[in-house]
Amino acid sequence: MALKVLSSLDTAKIQYYHFKAIIIAGMGLFTDAYDLFCIPLIMKLIGSVYYAGPPHDQQVPALVTSAMGAIALLGTVIGQLVFGRLGDLLGRRKVYVFALLIMVFSSVGCGFSMGRGRTCVLLSLGLFRFSLGIGIGGDYPLSATIMSEFANKRTRGGFIAAVFSMQGFGILASSTVTMVVCAVFNRASGYPKKPSPEMVDLAWRLILMIGAIPAGLTCYWRMMMPETPRYTALVEKNVAQAAKDMRKVLRVPMSPIPEDQEYDEKDPITPTASANPASSSDYPLLSKEFLARHGRDLFSCALAWFLVDVVFYSNNFFQSQIYGRQYLPLHNKNAYEEAFHVAKLQAILAICSAIPGYFAAVFFIDRIGRVKIQIGGFFFMAIVLFAIGIPYYSYRDRHAKAGFMFLYALTFFFSNFGPNTTTFIVPAELFPARFRSTCHGISGAAGKLGAIVGVVAFPWASPDNYHQQGIRMIVPLVLLGLVSLVGCITTYLFTRETMGRSLEENENEDQASGSGTGWGLVRHFSFTRCSLPKLCANNEVADG
């Protein structure tokens, strides 16, 4: 009697290996966040070295900061597409390790950006940031896919959310490391003396290179991870090896497996009568059949991720512009102190709003469901952005710092207890095993395109450009609120619920009712009207 490999995975109890996998997979997200969100901090140091003279007055132009962020995000787009596809073709584990190695060497390379002149240093830094983005992009689809394929169906969402929550700790780590480095160098420079450019130049390079440490520490553990049993059973068609890999890491009841049996991808539990390579389950990626079965899900995942990243990355990259000088007074401070205070405020937001949002998602994702959390997150983000955007200058005129900061912090909380987390989870649950990493990569690449849109467009609306461009801060904040409303509506119309089902049930579009979403109702009636007669004609539906 054949071993029910996937059923054993779906019903396995929570074990030590699940938590080990969370740390191993999550450390990639930790490093991703550290490397992506330390850029606004080190730009304060770079400005004092390479933009010391007029007209810049030790401030890096906002467009240069956005370009440095966008180049890493562009690399992330490419990495998600390329490594996502390779994860389905070559296996999760091999590609996973390679992506991490790219991240390690690129982080070190950022610290060794060549030259003494501004142009040379920024160009070489941008090149290494692009390479780093490729590694970061490869980590996203593989981390989510590996965790989803090891988890049981009851707690799968919480496990994937826990992996993604390491992003919050990465943001906190980048702030903490920046504060420590700046405090040490400031004391070594003999404060209140003006710090030497050579020491400031060393400080920002050191901050970037420290990002390689957590990634390097997990390289060995990633190499020791077995291939996911679902990939081995469903893609490589080796159920016996899948069972052996499961025995290595999970304590589940096993029985001997007939190795001469062949299994259908849609029902890997029951042996098929014959192996037909031209069967309907062998449709290629982005074929007509793939688009008919999974095109709508891929569209909904990509669109939601695009919309949330427009808001999330705009908020994170340009916090200091949104605060304004009245919330972040940096006059009469040297470069170390400026970077320290920006990092301190970023750390406070991470501790008080971002990380609690991740924890709330971990706790409620398998209780409330992905769709409801995503809709609620988008909705409350919109409300809060309108609340701080429309009366923005009233907050400044009245010096209502506490109220403004509280509302602004809520945008991060509802982003993480909302679409920023769910868009990472849902693509890892909806698609067949042989397309899962690819589709997650496509969805994530769409998200990073949204991030590029936000990072490139936002500087034009900063207060520093107000008199030159005639654009108020009220405009971008209200636009971000409108983007969030669009995300709320499109989630209701198109996104399917995946909570409580096995991955194999989720990939079968006809078995999912949509769990109350608008598109679920449309799909239900479409299936009833169009597909039922065909099924009946083939005797695939019972009489009555």
Side-chain angles (χ1 to χ4, degrees), residues 119-135:
T119 302
C120 186
V121 168
L122 291 180
L123 284 177
S124 58
L125 177 60
L127 178 64
F128 284 116
R129 294 285 298 172
F130 178 78
S131 173
L132 176 64
I134 292 177

Side-chain angles (χ1 to χ4, degrees), residues 274-515:
S274 61
N276 182 10
S279 65
S280 61
S281 64
D282 292 333
Y283 52 89
L285 178 68
L286 300 183
S287 62
K288 290 183 178 179
E289 186 168 356
F290 172 88
L291 294 177
R293 290 171 178 260
H294 310 291
R296 295 158 184 161
D297 290 332
L298 185 58
F299 170 78
S300 69
C301 292
L303 179 60
W305 208 330
F306 176 90
L307 295 172
V308 70
D309 273 7
V310 171
V311 181
F312 183 77
Y313 280 84
S314 296
N315 263 350
N316 272 286
F317 268 76
F318 299 103
Q319 287 181 18
S320 59
Q321 283 89 336
I322 295 174
Y323 304 147
R325 292 186 178 91
Q326 70 279 10
Y327 299 104
L328 193 64
L330 297 177
H331 56 281
N332 297 326
K333 297 185 183 297
N334 63 33
Y336 296 131
E337 292 174 310
E338 285 193 18
F340 182 93
H341 280 83
V342 174
K344 181 175 70 174
L345 204 50
Q346 181 171 292
I348 292 172
L349 280 174
I351 294 171
C352 296
S353 62
I355 293 177
Y358 288 116
F359 284 167
V362 172
F363 184 78
F364 288 108
I365 193 74
D366 289 311
R367 292 171 170 83
I368 299 177
R370 287 71 159 147
V371 173
K372 291 180 181 178
I373 288 178
Q374 185 164 307
I375 291 175
F378 269 128
F379 177 77
F380 286 110
M381 285 167 59
I383 296 300
V384 174
L385 286 166
F386 290 147
I388 65 175
I390 295 174
Y392 178 81
Y393 286 96
S394 297
Y395 287 111
R396 185 175 68 174
D397 295 338
R398 297 174 184 174
H399 303 286
K401 296 181 181 180
F404 179 89
M405 292 302 296
F406 174 76
L407 291 174
Y408 186 59
L410 288 180
T411 64
F412 295 97
F413 177 83
F414 286 113
S415 174
N416 296 326
F417 181 39
N420 191 43
T421 299
T422 55
T423 52
F424 181 79
I425 296 173
V426 174
E429 299 181 314
L430 276 178
F431 303 100
R434 58 200 178 96
F435 300 137
R436 186 168 293 133
S437 178
T438 301
C439 291
H440 196 286
I442 293 173
S443 302
K448 291 304 172 283
L449 288 176
I452 293 173
V453 170
V455 168
V456 171
F458 198 91
W460 293 101
S462 66
D464 292 338
N465 291 335
Y466 168 64
H467 294 292
Q468 300 175 9
Q469 306 296 337
I471 302 176
R472 293 178 179 270
M473 181 60 72
I474 190 174
V475 174
L477 291 174
V478 170
L479 287 177
L480 292 179
L482 291 174
V483 170
S484 299
L485 277 184
V486 173
C488 180
I489 295 170
T490 55
T491 298
Y492 175 80
L493 292 176
F494 297 109
T495 303
R496 285 201 291 133
E497 183 57 73
T498 58
M499 179 179 64
R501 300 188 182 97
S502 71
L503 296 179
E504 288 66 45
E505 289 174 320
N506 283 329
E507 76 182 53
N508 188 342
E509 184 181 46
D510 294 339
Q511 290 181 1
S513 64
S515 192

Side-chain angles (χ1 to χ4, degrees), residues 177-198:
V177 169
T178 301
M179 287 190 291
V180 171
V181 171
C182 288
V184 170
F185 275 69
N186 196 29
R187 181 179 292 273
S189 67
Y191 176 82
K193 293 182 179 179
K194 183 179 180 180
S196 67
E198 292 77 12

